[in-house]
Coordinates of all heavy atoms in Angstrom, one line a residue:
R1145 N 66.5 104.9 85.4 CA 67.4 104.0 86.2 C 68.6 103.7 85.5 O 69.7 103.6 86.1 CB 66.6 102.7 86.6 CG 65.6 103.0 87.8 CD 64.6 101.8 87.9 NE 63.8 102.0 89.1 CZ 62.8 102.9 89.2 NH1 62.5 103.7 88.2 NH2 62.1 103.0 90.4
V1146 N 68.5 103.4 84.2 CA 69.7 103.1 83.4 C 70.6 104.2 83.3 O 71.8 104.1 83.4 CB 69.3 102.5 82.0 CG1 70.6 102.3 81.2 CG2 68.6 101.2 82.2
I1147 N 70.1 105.4 83.0 CA 70.9 106.6 83.0 C 71.6 106.9 84.3 O 72.7 107.2 84.4 CB 70.1 107.9 82.6 CG1 69.7 107.8 81.1 CG2 70.8 109.2 82.8 CD1 68.7 108.9 80.6
A1148 N 70.8 106.7 85.5 CA 71.3 106.9 86.8 C 72.5 106.0 87.1 O 73.6 106.4 87.6 CB 70.3 106.7 87.8
T1149 N 72.4 104.7 86.7 CA 73.5 103.8 87.0 C 74.7 104.0 86.1 O 75.8 103.9 86.5 CB 73.0 102.2 86.8 OG1 72.4 102.1 85.5 CG2 72.0 101.8 87.9
S1150 N 74.4 104.4 84.9 CA 75.5 104.7 83.9 C 76.3 105.9 84.3 O 77.5 106.0 84.1 CB 74.9 104.9 82.4 OG 74.3 103.8 82.1
F1151 N 75.6 106.8 85.0 CA 76.3 108.1 85.4 C 77.0 107.9 86.8 O 78.0 108.4 87.0 CB 75.3 109.2 85.5 CG 75.8 110.5 86.1 CD1 76.7 111.3 85.3 CD2 75.5 110.9 87.3 CE1 77.2 112.5 85.8 CE2 76.0 112.1 87.9 CZ 76.9 112.8 87.1
T1152 N 76.3 107.2 87.7 CA 76.7 107.0 89.1 C 77.8 106.1 89.4 O 78.7 106.3 90.2 CB 75.5 106.8 90.0 OG1 74.4 107.6 89.7 CG2 75.9 106.9 91.5
I1153 N 77.8 104.9 88.6 CA 78.8 103.9 88.9 C 80.2 104.4 88.6 O 81.1 104.1 89.3 CB 78.5 102.6 88.0 CG1 77.1 102.0 88.4 CG2 79.5 101.5 88.2 CD1 77.0 101.6 89.8
P1154 N 80.5 105.1 87.5 CA 81.8 105.7 87.3 C 82.3 106.6 88.5 O 83.4 106.6 88.9 CB 81.7 106.5 86.0 CG 80.5 105.9 85.3 CD 79.6 105.4 86.4
L1155 N 81.3 107.4 89.1 CA 81.7 108.2 90.2 C 82.0 107.4 91.4 O 83.0 107.6 92.2 CB 80.5 109.2 90.5 CG 80.1 110.2 89.5 CD1 78.9 111.0 90.0 CD2 81.3 111.1 89.1
L1156 N 81.2 106.3 91.6 CA 81.5 105.4 92.7 C 82.8 104.7 92.5 O 83.6 104.4 93.5 CB 80.4 104.4 92.8 CG 79.0 104.8 93.4 CD1 78.0 103.7 93.4 CD2 79.2 105.3 94.9
T1157 N 83.2 104.4 91.3 CA 84.4 103.7 90.9 C 85.6 104.6 91.3 O 86.6 104.1 92.0 CB 84.5 103.4 89.5 OG1 83.5 102.4 89.1 CG2 85.8 102.8 89.1
M1158 N 85.6 105.9 91.0 CA 86.6 106.8 91.3 C 86.8 107.0 92.9 O 87.8 107.0 93.4 CB 86.4 108.2 90.7 CG 86.4 108.2 89.2 SD 88.1 107.8 88.6 CE 87.8 106.1 88.1
Y1159 N 85.6 106.9 93.5 CA 85.6 107.0 95.0 C 86.2 105.7 95.6 O 87.0 105.7 96.6 CB 84.2 107.2 95.5 CG 84.0 107.2 97.0 CD1 84.5 108.2 97.8 CD2 83.5 106.1 97.7 CE1 84.4 108.3 99.2 CE2 83.4 106.1 99.0 CZ 83.8 107.2 99.8 OH 83.7 107.2 101.2
T1160 N 85.8 104.5 95.0 CA 86.4 103.3 95.5 C 87.9 103.2 95.3 O 88.6 102.7 96.2 CB 85.8 102.1 94.7 OG1 84.4 102.1 94.8 CG2 86.3 100.8 95.2
V1161 N 88.4 103.7 94.2 CA 89.8 103.8 93.9 C 90.5 104.6 95.0 O 91.6 104.2 95.5 CB 90.1 104.3 92.5 CG1 91.6 104.7 92.3 CG2 89.7 103.3 91.4
F1162 N 90.0 105.8 95.3 CA 90.6 106.7 96.2 C 90.6 106.0 97.6 O 91.6 106.0 98.3 CB 89.7 108.0 96.4 CG 90.1 108.9 97.5 CD1 91.3 109.6 97.4 CD2 89.3 108.9 98.6 CE1 91.7 110.4 98.5 CE2 89.6 109.7 99.7 CZ 90.8 110.5 99.7
V1163 N 89.5 105.4 98.1 CA 89.4 104.7 99.3 C 90.4 103.6 99.4 O 91.1 103.4 100.4 CB 87.9 104.3 99.6 CG1 87.9 103.5 100.9 CG2 87.0 105.5 99.8
A1164 N 90.4 102.8 98.4 CA 91.3 101.6 98.3 C 92.8 102.1 98.4 O 93.6 101.4 99.1 CB 91.1 100.8 97.0
L1165 N 93.1 103.1 97.7 CA 94.5 103.6 97.8 C 94.9 104.1 99.2 O 96.0 104.0 99.6 CB 94.7 104.7 96.7 CG 94.7 104.2 95.3 CD1 94.8 105.4 94.3 CD2 95.9 103.3 95.0
M1166 N 93.9 104.8 99.8 CA 94.1 105.2 101.2 C 94.3 104.1 102.2 O 95.1 104.1 103.1 CB 92.9 106.2 101.7 CG 92.9 107.5 101.0 SD 94.4 108.5 101.2 CE 95.3 108.1 99.6
G1167 N 93.5 103.0 102.0 CA 93.6 101.8 102.8 C 95.0 101.2 102.6 O 95.7 100.7 103.5
A1168 N 95.4 101.1 101.3 CA 96.8 100.6 101.0 C 97.9 101.5 101.6 O 98.9 101.0 102.1 CB 96.9 100.5 99.5
Y1169 N 97.7 102.8 101.6 CA 98.6 103.7 102.1 C 98.9 103.5 103.6 O 100.0 103.4 104.1 CB 98.3 105.2 101.9 CG 99.1 106.1 102.7 CD1 100.4 106.4 102.4 CD2 98.5 106.8 103.9 CE1 101.2 107.2 103.2 CE2 99.3 107.7 104.6 CZ 100.6 107.9 104.3 OH 101.4 108.7 105.1
L1170 N 97.8 103.2 104.3 CA 97.9 103.0 105.8 C 98.8 101.7 106.0 O 99.6 101.7 106.9 CB 96.5 102.8 106.5 CG 95.7 104.0 106.7 CD1 94.4 103.7 107.3 CD2 96.5 105.0 107.5
N1171 N 98.5 100.7 105.2 CA 99.3 99.5 105.3 C 100.8 99.7 105.0 O 101.6 99.2 105.7 CB 98.7 98.4 104.4 CG 99.2 97.0 104.7 OD1 100.4 96.8 104.7 ND2 98.2 96.1 105.1
V1172 N 101.0 100.4 103.9 CA 102.4 100.7 103.4 C 103.1 101.5 104.5 O 104.3 101.2 104.8 CB 102.4 101.3 102.0 CG1 103.8 101.9 101.7 CG2 101.9 100.4 101.0
T1173 N 102.5 102.6 105.0 CA 103.2 103.5 105.8 C 103.5 102.9 107.2 O 104.5 103.2 107.8 CB 102.4 104.8 106.0 OG1 103.3 105.8 106.6 CG2 101.2 104.6 106.9
V1174 N 102.7 101.9 107.7 CA 102.9 101.2 108.9 C 104.1 100.3 108.8 O 104.9 100.1 109.6 CB 101.7 100.5 109.4 CG1 102.0 99.5 110.5 CG2 100.6 101.5 109.9
N1175 N 104.2 99.5 107.7 CA 105.2 98.5 107.4 C 106.5 99.0 106.8 O 107.5 98.5 107.1 CB 104.6 97.4 106.6 CG 103.5 96.6 107.3 OD1 103.8 95.7 108.0 ND2 102.2 96.9 107.0
E1176 N 106.3 99.9 105.9 CA 107.6 100.4 105.2 C 107.9 101.9 105.5 O 108.9 102.4 105.0 CB 107.4 100.4 103.7 CG 107.6 99.0 103.1 CD 106.5 98.0 103.3 OE1 105.4 98.4 103.1 OE2 106.8 96.8 103.6
Q1177 N 107.1 102.5 106.4 CA 107.4 103.9 106.8 C 107.5 104.8 105.6 O 108.3 105.7 105.6 CB 108.6 104.0 107.7 CG 108.4 103.6 109.1 CD 108.4 102.0 109.2 OE1 109.3 101.4 108.7 NE2 107.4 101.5 109.9
T1178 N 106.7 104.6 104.6 CA 106.7 105.4 103.3 C 106.0 106.7 103.6 O 104.9 106.6 104.2 CB 106.1 104.7 102.2 OG1 106.8 103.5 101.9 CG2 106.1 105.5 100.9
S1179 N 106.5 107.8 103.2 CA 105.8 109.1 103.5 C 104.7 109.3 102.5 O 104.7 108.6 101.4 CB 106.8 110.3 103.3 OG 107.1 110.4 101.9
F1180 N 103.7 110.1 102.9 CA 102.5 110.3 102.0 C 102.9 110.9 100.7 O 102.4 110.5 99.6 CB 101.4 111.2 102.7 CG 100.2 111.4 102.0 CD1 99.3 110.3 101.9 CD2 99.9 112.5 101.3 CE1 98.1 110.5 101.2 CE2 98.7 112.7 100.6 CZ 97.9 111.7 100.5
T1181 N 103.8 111.8 100.6 CA 104.3 112.5 99.4 C 105.0 111.5 98.5 O 104.6 111.5 97.3 CB 105.3 113.7 99.7 OG1 104.7 114.5 100.7 CG2 105.7 114.4 98.5
S1182 N 105.8 110.7 99.0 CA 106.5 109.6 98.2 C 105.5 108.7 97.7 O 105.6 108.2 96.5 CB 107.6 108.9 99.1 OG 108.1 107.8 98.4
Y1183 N 104.5 108.3 98.5 CA 103.5 107.3 98.1 C 102.7 107.8 96.9 O 102.5 107.2 95.9 CB 102.6 107.0 99.3 CG 101.4 106.1 99.0 CD1 101.7 104.7 98.9 CD2 100.1 106.5 98.8 CE1 100.6 103.8 98.6 CE2 99.0 105.7 98.6 CZ 99.3 104.3 98.5 OH 98.3 103.5 98.3
I1184 N 102.2 109.2 97.0 CA 101.5 109.8 96.0 C 102.3 109.9 94.7 O 101.8 109.7 93.5 CB 101.0 111.2 96.4 CG1 99.9 111.0 97.5 CG2 100.3 111.9 95.2 CD1 98.7 110.3 97.2

């Protein structure tokens, strides 16, 4: 269990970062009309 959490939590963190940035992009592009390329 400890090995599983130590290995999986970093993967989940990277996924969370990606999803959070996509959520932020939707907000930014609606309000500031920022292009996806410029945002990245």
Side-chain angles (χ1 to χ4, degrees):
R1145 282 162 175 77
V1146 176
I1147 289 175
T1149 54
S1150 302
F1151 176 74
T1152 311
I1153 300 300
L1155 297 180
L1156 286 176
T1157 296
M1158 294 297 101
Y1159 177 72
T1160 303
V1161 168
F1162 171 75
V1163 172
L1165 290 175
M1166 289 303 99
Y1169 167 71
L1170 286 180
N1171 194 300
V1172 169
T1173 194
V1174 167
N1175 290 278
E1176 277 79 41
Q1177 284 75 50
T1178 303
S1179 70
F1180 184 73
T1181 306
S1182 174
Y1183 179 76
I1184 293 297

